[in-house]
């Protein structure tokens, strides 16, 4: 959850950077820093804590200069500390880097660089980027070429800005994958760089948006954009309205579309500070537990409503399979009207994007009245579900404006997986190496989601072929059954098309009677080793009854493709990450079908973002 801002022009950069960081502080607040070029050298100020700490440092140690960049951080690699705050430098102290993302091959790159004599001063993954650029400069490359080669060596999704004391007329910015946006603000005799529009909107309305694997050289009077292969790119300038609500949409037509595309960043932000990628462990300081306390948990009850309920159904697999804790999932609206039996070893976990859902809050109150441990996973800081829980995991998905939830759903899945892994470690249900494998897989997740989003055009084509149908059946098994439920819900919410999610193994117990040429079936047939072959059989059964099959399949899977009329492909992913990878095409399908049908995507009829009354 990092914020990035940069400036090059005639004015003093420092006040511009500080104000931009203030506007981005919601994206990270464990440390902040900035760098400017002055008298041919880099002047760096950085401090652990909130931006106020950085301002106090600048009052004691002033800095100024006409070019600079700033960063507010939420930690991934390295604990919050002055030496881990951005910007980071190379060995010469002439190159500075700020970064949002996770360098998946950080350990490998650091080992290679240290073997060539590079000295590291932090525990962060970001520092390898500065040393990589230095390494290519040593080999004779110019700054832009060295930066391109360094960026191409990174695995994962990233937003990066580079400043060199030897080239005090330019910033180099790059976007790789979907770790967050890179916005270039076009001024008169000055230019701006930011990770989000609000940081620079007061200075300019004309903006460029970098796409994945595009790099910009930003000077005070010109912006040059190229691919990481060095091919020139021409980007259209967007005129952003001054209205902050409209501006927040950026280049997207709807908030819903923007929020679907923010999921790689939301996942990155959810992982920050909670995963030790270097040592392969999960840290969840929000849920303080001893080993004895964790072992005494005999049952977990997840209470939620709507999309959050379906997230809880996925969580049931995580908690039972990984942490070996018996888990139930209940609608808040049903839980509150029962007299549930809650023993001493029971934990109630509430999931709510808003933290204000009336039925979920009532379920929490029922749990509190019975004296059991109460946890929550929420997106809204300071909400009721945040305040009344004994422990709360914040989603860090950022504001979600669209009524139909997207990024909060994905973030809550990641939060539950992290909690399950932490409980598994404390309870001795998994060994260190097994947990390390899961952590390494999580490092890949933002990039996997970005690759799914890159195939949006294929989803839109499917929507164009099916948006006139009025009934759909969604089938899934195991981990993907809740995703079938969520996909059907999104179609209902956004496009007003009747859709039903169903466990594929139950199809013969009723729904098969509905299948004909007028009712397409969306089959979730990813290569899950537990359910894959059975899903292939169910697809055959649908087609045998003249039903059309839209299959969500693993990339390059000929067996599933042969059993479908239309396929949507996603990259291969570890089993426990399949729900996150699978849900995005279903969100996009519902979105594009709703747009084609002329529906109000952001505010569907009869719905509210948070149900605060019965």
């Amino acid at each position: 959850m990092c914020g990035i801002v940069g400036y090059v022009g005639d004015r003093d950069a420092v006040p511009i950077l500080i104000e931009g960081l203030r506007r981005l502080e919601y994206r990270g607040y464990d440390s902040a820093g900035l760098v400017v070029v002055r008298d041919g050298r880099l002047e760096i100020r950085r401090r652990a804590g909130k931006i106020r700490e950085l301002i106090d440092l600048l009052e004691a140690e002033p800095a100024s200069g006409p070019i600079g960049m700033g960063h507010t951080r939420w930690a991934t690699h390295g604990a919050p500390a002055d030496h881990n705050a951005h910007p980071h430098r190379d060995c010469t102290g002439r190159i500075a880097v700020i970064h949002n993302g996770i360098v998946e091959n950080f350990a490998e790159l650091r080992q290679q660089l240290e073997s060539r004599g590079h000295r590291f001063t932090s525990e962060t993954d970001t520092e390898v980027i500065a040393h990589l650029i230095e390494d290519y400069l040593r080999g004779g490359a110019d700054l832009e070429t060295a930066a391109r080669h360094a960026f191409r060596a990174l695995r994962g999704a990233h937003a990066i800005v580079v400043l060199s004391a030897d080239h005090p007329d330019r910033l180099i910015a790059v976007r790789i994958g979907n770790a967050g946006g890179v916005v270039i603000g076009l001024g008169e005799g000055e230019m701006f760089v930011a990770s989000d529009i609000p940081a620079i909107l007061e200075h300019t309305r004309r903006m460029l948006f970098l796409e994945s694997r595009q790099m910009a050289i930003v000077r005070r009077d010109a912006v040059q954009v190229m691919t990481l292969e060095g091919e020139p790119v021409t980007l259209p300038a967007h005129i952003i309205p001054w209205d902050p609500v409209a501006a927040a949409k950026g280049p997207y037509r709807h908030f819903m579309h923007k929020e679907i595309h923010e999921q790689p960043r939301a996942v990155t932000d959810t992982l920050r500070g909670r995963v030790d990628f270097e040592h392969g462990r999960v840290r969840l300081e929000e849920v303080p537990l001893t080993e004895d306390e964790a072992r005494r948990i005999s049952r977990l009850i997840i209470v939620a409503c709507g999309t959050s309920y379906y997230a809880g159904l996925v969580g049931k697999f995580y908690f039972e399979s990984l942490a070996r804790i018996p888990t139930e999932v209940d609608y808040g609206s049903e839980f509150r009207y029962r007299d549930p039996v809650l023993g001493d070893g029971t934990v109630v976990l509430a999931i709510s994007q808003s933290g204000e859902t009336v039925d979920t809050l009532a379920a929490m109150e029922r749990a509190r009245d019975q004296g059991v441990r109460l946890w929550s996973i929420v997106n809204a800081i300071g909400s009721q579900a945040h305040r009344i829980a004994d422990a709360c995991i914040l989603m860090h998905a950022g504001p979600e404006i669209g009524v139909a939830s997207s990024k909060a759903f994905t973030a809550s899945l990641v939060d539950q997986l992290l909690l399950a892994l932490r409980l598994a470690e404390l309870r001795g249900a998994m060994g260190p190496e097994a947990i390390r494998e899961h952590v390494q897989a999580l490092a890949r997740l933002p990039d996997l989601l970005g690759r799914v989003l890159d195939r949006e055009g294929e989803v839109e084509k499917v929507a164009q072929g099916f948006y006139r149908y009025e009934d759909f059946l969604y089938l899934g098994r195991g981990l993907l059954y809740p995703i079938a439920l969520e996909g059907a819900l999104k179609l209902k919410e956004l496009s007003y098309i009747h859709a039903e999610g169903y466990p594929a193994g139950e199809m013969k117990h009723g729904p098969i009677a509905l299948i004909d040429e007028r009712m397409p079936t969306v089959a979730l047939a990813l290569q899950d080793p537990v359910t894959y072959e059975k899903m292939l059989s169910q697809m055959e059964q649908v087609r045998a009854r003249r039903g059309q099959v839209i299959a969500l399949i693993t990339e390059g899977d000929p067996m599933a493709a042969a059993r479908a009329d239309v396929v949507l492909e996603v990259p291969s992913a570890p089993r426990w990450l399949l729900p996150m990878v699978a849900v995005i095409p279903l969100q996009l399908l519902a979105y594009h079908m709703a747009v084609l049908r002329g529906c109000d995507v952001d505010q569907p009829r009869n719905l509210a973002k948070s149900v605060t009354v019965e």
Side-chain angles (χ1 to χ4, degrees):
M1 190 183 284
C2 298
I4 287 173
V5 62
Y7 173 80
V8 54
D10 291 330
R11 292 190 278 169
D12 181 10
V14 171
I16 296 168
L17 300 179
I18 289 294
E19 183 55 34
L21 292 178
R22 284 184 191 275
R23 297 175 185 270
L24 296 175
E25 188 166 19
Y26 73 93
R27 296 190 58 186
Y29 39 82
D30 69 27
S31 59
L34 59 77
V35 58
V36 293
V37 178
R38 183 176 183 181
D39 299 329
R41 68 178 187 275
L42 298 179
E43 291 278 347
I44 291 182
R45 304 289 186 270
R46 52 187 186 171
R47 183 60 59 86
K50 296 190 176 183
I51 290 172
R52 179 69 251 176
E53 302 296 325
L54 175 61
I55 294 171
D56 290 344
L57 175 62
L58 284 165
E59 290 175 356
E61 302 176 23
S64 62
I67 183 171
M69 57 190 190
H71 185 272
T72 178
R73 176 179 187 250
W74 190 253
T76 52
H77 295 71
D82 290 356
H83 69 284
N84 284 330
H86 296 215
H88 289 285
R89 287 173 287 190
D90 68 327
C91 296
T92 69
R94 307 291 290 172
I95 299 165
V97 170
I98 56 178
H99 169 225
N100 185 19
I102 298 170
V103 180
E104 293 177 12
N105 52 339
F106 150 72
E108 171 190 333
L109 290 173
R110 177 164 176 160
Q111 185 177 29
Q112 292 172 2
L113 289 163
E114 286 178 331
S115 71
R116 294 200 287 270
H118 290 267
R119 303 178 310 279
F120 284 75
T121 60
S122 77
E123 292 84 53
T124 69
D125 57 337
T126 300
E127 192 179 352
V128 302
I129 304 171
H131 290 285
L132 274 174
I133 296 172
E134 176 194 1
D135 210 54
Y136 285 111
L137 288 171
R138 287 180 184 178
D142 59 42
L143 179 63
E144 285 79 7
T145 303
R148 280 198 301 110
H149 287 325
F151 299 152
R152 288 168 63 180
L154 305 175
R155 290 204 302 265
H158 311 279
I160 305 165
V161 185
V162 178
L163 176 60
S164 168
D166 297 318
H167 299 82
D169 64 334
R170 73 197 70 172
L171 296 169
I172 297 178
V174 69
R175 176 180 176 179
I176 305 171
N178 291 279
V182 177
V183 183
I184 311 295
L186 309 176
E188 297 294 331
E190 59 185 4
M191 300 288 177
F192 307 85
V193 179
S195 53
D196 210 351
I197 291 169
I200 57 177
L201 185 60
E202 69 173 291
H203 303 292
T204 180
R205 295 173 56 204
R206 296 177 61 237
M207 300 188 188
L208 306 177
F209 296 88
L210 293 190
E211 300 295 334
S212 179
R213 299 186 67 80
Q214 290 180 350
M215 183 177 96
I217 296 94
V218 183
R219 297 180 174 87
R220 62 184 297 275
D221 54 1
V223 177
Q224 178 186 2
V225 182
M226 66 185 71
T227 68
L228 290 186
E229 288 69 42
E231 298 295 323
V233 175
T234 301
L235 294 179
H238 295 263
I239 307 301
I240 307 300
W242 291 115
D243 171 36
V245 174
K249 289 183 188 175
Y252 297 96
R253 182 176 173 184
H254 300 98
F255 280 110
M256 178 75 184
H257 196 210
K258 177 175 185 277
E259 287 155 10
I260 290 172
H261 278 264
E262 286 179 333
Q263 285 174 107
R265 188 183 77 186
V267 167
T268 301
D269 294 346
T270 297
L271 294 173
R272 287 188 183 281
R274 294 168 173 162
V275 180
D276 181 344
F277 291 105
E278 186 173 359
H279 299 99
R281 296 188 62 195
V282 173
R283 297 190 304 248
L284 271 181
E285 295 177 1
E286 303 100 317
V287 186
L289 277 178
T290 65
E291 292 183 0
D292 286 343
E293 288 173 329
R295 289 192 176 101
R296 284 200 296 270
I297 297 173
S298 59
R299 182 171 61 145
L300 183 65
I301 301 176
I302 300 172
V303 292
C305 298
T307 286
S308 293
Y309 174 80
Y310 298 149
L313 292 178
V314 176
K316 177 180 173 69
F317 282 87
Y318 295 156
F319 294 115
E320 292 193 338
S321 298
L322 302 178
R324 307 305 297 160
I325 298 175
T327 302
E328 303 169 20
V329 187
D330 213 337
Y331 284 109
S333 55
E334 293 297 319
F335 184 90
R336 65 180 297 190
Y337 291 115
R338 292 207 322 271
D339 187 15
V341 178
L342 306 177
D344 291 340
T346 300
V347 174
V348 170
L349 170 63
I351 305 175
S352 171
Q353 189 283 137
S354 68
E356 299 292 348
T357 303
V358 61
D359 288 316
T360 303
L361 292 175
M364 294 177 72
E365 293 289 354
R366 175 62 63 90
R368 179 168 292 283
D369 289 345
Q370 295 203 27
V372 301
R373 193 186 297 265
L374 182 59
W375 296 342
S376 65
I377 296 175
V378 302
N379 195 36
I381 298 172
S383 61
Q384 182 79 347
H386 181 190
R387 296 195 306 272
I388 68 175
D390 299 311
C392 178
I393 301 173
L394 293 171
M395 295 180 193
H396 292 312
E400 192 175 66
I401 308 301
V403 167
S405 182
S406 54
K407 60 181 180 176
F409 175 80
T410 314
S412 67
L413 296 185
V414 174
D415 284 326
Q416 289 179 94
L417 180 53
L418 293 175
L419 180 57
L421 290 171
R422 179 59 178 153
L423 289 168
E425 179 185 21
L426 290 170
R427 292 165 61 87
M430 295 177 66
E433 284 308 310
I435 292 175
R436 178 184 292 274
E437 288 180 13
H438 285 285
V439 167
Q440 290 171 343
L442 279 166
R444 295 175 49 214
L445 183 56
D447 185 56
L448 285 171
L449 300 187
R451 289 165 59 191
V452 175
L453 287 164
D454 288 342
R455 307 187 77 140
E456 180 176 2
E458 299 168 22
V459 181
E460 188 172 4
K461 287 180 182 177
V462 174
Q464 289 167 354
F466 285 88
Y467 74 94
R468 292 185 177 90
Y469 287 82
E470 295 297 333
D471 298 280
F472 279 76
L473 181 64
Y474 283 66
L475 296 179
R477 296 184 75 110
L479 274 166
L480 296 180
Y481 163 51
I483 304 306
L485 293 169
E486 173 63 10
L489 176 62
K490 283 292 160 286
L491 195 64
K492 286 181 281 194
E493 287 179 311
L494 297 180
S495 67
Y496 317 144
I497 294 172
H498 169 251
E500 187 172 355
Y502 224 80
E506 293 294 304
M507 184 177 66
K508 289 183 179 179
H509 295 270
I512 199 167
L514 297 171
I515 293 172
D516 60 20
E517 66 276 6
R518 297 185 302 276
M519 186 174 185
T521 296
V522 179
L524 279 61
L526 301 187
Q527 290 178 333
D528 181 340
V530 178
T531 63
Y532 173 69
E533 291 185 359
K534 291 182 173 60
M535 277 304 304
L536 295 184
S537 172
Q538 267 119 22
M539 292 161 66
E540 292 273 20
Q541 294 174 44
V542 172
R543 294 190 72 188
R545 289 157 179 82
R546 295 182 299 161
Q548 297 183 75
V549 175
I550 303 169
L552 185 67
I553 70 172
T554 303
E555 198 170 53
D557 178 1
M559 293 180 64
R563 291 162 171 80
D565 297 282
V566 179
V567 298
L568 293 171
E569 293 187 323
V570 297
S572 177
R575 180 174 185 240
W576 301 110
L577 304 186
L578 290 177
M580 298 80 150
V581 172
V583 75
I584 291 179
L586 305 187
Q587 294 169 346
L588 288 170
L589 182 64
Y591 169 79
H592 284 292
M593 291 179 74
V595 170
L596 289 164
R597 290 166 69 94
C599 300
D600 187 341
V601 174
D602 284 335
Q603 295 180 316
R605 67 190 184 199
N606 305 330
L607 296 180
K609 184 63 179 172
S610 177
V611 181
T612 57
V613 295
E614 287 192 80

